[in-house]
Amino acid sequence: MKPLITTAVFDAKPYDRDYLAQGADAGQVAWRFLDFRLDVSTAGAAKGMQAACIFANDVADRAALEALVSHGVKLIALRCAGFNNVDLAAARELGLAVVRVPAYSPHAVAEHTVGLLLTLNRKIHRAYNRVRELNFSLAGLVGFDLCGKTVGIIGTGKIGRITAQIFRGFEARVIAHDAAPDQSWAERHGVGYVKLPDLLAESDILSLHVPLMPDTRHLLNGQSLALTKPGVFIVNTSRGRLIDTVALIAALKSGHVGGVALDVYEEEQGVFFEDLSGQVLQDDELSLLLNFPNVLITAHQAFLTREALSEIARVTIDNLLRHARGEPYLTETVL
Ligand code: NAI
């Protein structure tokens, strides 16, 4: 069958290729997999393609979008939920449709969030390495019970709600803050909404689940970190720029922050998703964070489950084929 649409897939990793090329109806898309990210200098690689499929760290700013349009691209299909890397105003002006995968597996991200916290708190990563070297000592591996602690969830959308529910399963007290609170959900799950300063002051563990927007950039900065409980553990699986890294490092150095688990990092573009082993890391702040014993970092892998990749492929292909057939996009996918 002749493909209905041609699509350049930027920053395509082996798992992207596998799941996109094997998804149902994948044969109706002519794929051009590109192993580099989109920015203004690489946009030309989509020449002659009708759609550009991009991910969280591609740079779809005005210049890149103009370049894509000049090469014939009509559709930007994000294969992720967050869209802070796309200049939507520019896209609108250029007549480019922008679609995304609004929810592929909120469970994948929520479960990774809790996994990070458990690993950091119980020092499982350090224990694993010790035992492999036949060091069976427990010195320095003391953690704390989650039961009875206060967990503060910032952002109770799809991911934040599931994260809160998992923490309730540990018998933790869960408090939350959201611009649009969902009271009936909170009552059902024994979660209490509070104002942000109260959440910061009361939480033993903070977990960030708001999107990156102008008003959430550096949500955790020197001032807000100063409001947090001494020894607080912070988990961020949402977007790196929610945290002011310099302020975080200062709070770690002073001992005010007890532990930090990050799946996202302010300057992750060009670093996360890449194999830089054997190279000199150019980011001094990231180098510093990697050296702290109470910081645990994964490279934006919270979404990476079989279920999430299948759903990303299914919705992305559906978005592409709707465009090709001139059918309306599903409301929740279109931006
Ligand atoms: P969602 O849209 O379902 O929920 C976001 C929530 O944040 C909403 O309840 C909204 O009312 C709230 N919110 C927005 N602005 C706010 C503000 N200024 N103050 C307080 N609350 C505010 O989003 P979802 O699906 O839960 O995803 C959350 C974020 O997780 C995404 O924006 C994305 O950045 C990140 N993410 C990370 C992944 C990873 O692999 N690490 C994978 C998928 C998403």
Side-chain angles (χ1 to χ4, degrees):
M1 188 195 303
K2 191 173 175 296
L4 294 180
I5 185 164
T6 52
T7 303
V9 184
F10 283 90
D11 207 11
K13 304 298 183 207
Y15 47 83
D16 292 314
R17 293 170 196 242
D18 289 350
Y19 280 82
L20 285 173
Q22 287 162 25
D25 295 331
Q28 296 186 52
V29 182
W31 304 100
R32 181 185 289 170
F33 291 108
L34 304 164
D35 58 9
F36 44 83
R37 286 183 297 138
L38 168 70
D39 63 28
V40 64
S41 69
T42 61
K47 191 174 168 65
M49 297 277 120
Q50 291 156 284
C53 178
I54 66 171
F55 195 59
N57 285 334
D58 289 293
V59 182
D61 57 10
R62 180 177 288 274
L65 294 177
E66 281 173 356
L68 287 175
V69 168
S70 77
H71 292 297
V73 170
K74 300 269 188 302
L75 174 72
I76 303 292
L78 285 149
R79 54 184 191 280
C80 55
F83 50 89
N84 50 280
N85 53 335
V86 182
D87 185 337
L88 288 179
R92 243 168 246 127
E93 279 171 39
L94 292 161
L96 266 173
V98 183
V99 287
R100 65 171 176 151
V101 184
Y104 24 97
S105 173
H107 291 274
V109 183
E111 289 170 16
H112 191 75
T113 303
V114 179
L116 280 177
L117 179 73
L118 288 173
T119 307
L120 178 70
N121 168 30
R122 304 304 301 270
K123 304 172 176 63
I124 295 168
H125 53 312
R126 299 178 65 193
Y128 171 80
N129 284 328
R130 263 190 209 187
V131 169
R132 283 171 64 88
E133 296 195 355
L134 308 188
N135 174 357
F136 300 106
S137 144
L138 300 183
L141 298 184
V142 179
F144 56 81
D145 285 13
L146 286 179
C147 175
K149 295 294 179 300
T150 298
V151 180
I153 303 283
I154 306 183
T156 53
K158 293 176 284 295
I159 296 169
R161 282 201 297 267
I162 295 169
T163 309
Q165 290 165 215
I166 297 174
F167 279 121
R168 289 291 291 140
F170 283 96
E171 296 183 35
R173 171 182 175 237
V174 177
I175 54 176
H177 171 75
D178 195 289
D182 182 345
Q183 291 294 355
S184 77
W185 164 80
E187 276 163 31
R188 276 201 312 282
H189 293 282
V191 174
Y193 278 107
V194 295
K195 294 204 170 75
L196 186 58
D198 295 334
L199 181 139
L200 295 174
E202 290 178 33
S203 299
D204 300 295
I205 295 142
L206 278 177
S207 195
L208 305 186
H209 302 286
V210 284
L212 176 63
M213 322 249 254
D215 64 335
T216 57
R217 185 173 178 273
H218 287 182
L219 181 85
L220 290 187
N221 54 29
Q223 275 180 333
S224 50
L225 284 169
L227 298 177
T228 59
K229 222 171 167 174
V232 65
F233 272 46
I234 298 170
V235 190
N236 186 9
T237 57
S238 187
R239 282 292 179 269
R241 293 210 165 100
L242 297 177
I243 301 183
D244 176 347
T245 308
V246 173
L248 182 71
I249 289 172
L252 277 161
K253 276 183 158 179
S254 74
H256 181 78
V257 167
V260 174
L262 304 175
D263 185 54
V264 288
Y265 167 65
E266 217 178 345
E267 302 299 335
E268 69 179 57
Q269 282 178 2
V271 178
F272 283 13
F273 307 128
E274 308 303 328
D275 178 2
L276 302 183
S277 52
Q279 293 188 34
V280 173
L281 189 60
Q282 298 298 321
D283 184 325
D284 294 350
E285 272 132 24
L286 182 57
S287 297
L288 212 51
L289 285 172
L290 288 168
N291 269 303
F292 293 143
N294 52 349
V295 174
L296 178 66
I297 300 181
T298 52
H300 208 137
Q301 76 174 73
F303 73 100
L304 200 64
T305 64
R306 290 193 296 267
E307 291 77 4
L309 289 169
S310 300
E311 187 60 7
I312 288 171
R314 186 188 71 75
V315 176
T316 300
I317 292 167
D318 182 64
N319 280 335
L320 293 168
L321 294 180
R322 280 172 187 273
H323 176 88
R325 296 184 183 125
E327 293 168 5
Y329 305 110
L330 296 181
T331 20
E332 63 272 23
T333 69
V334 70
L335 291 168

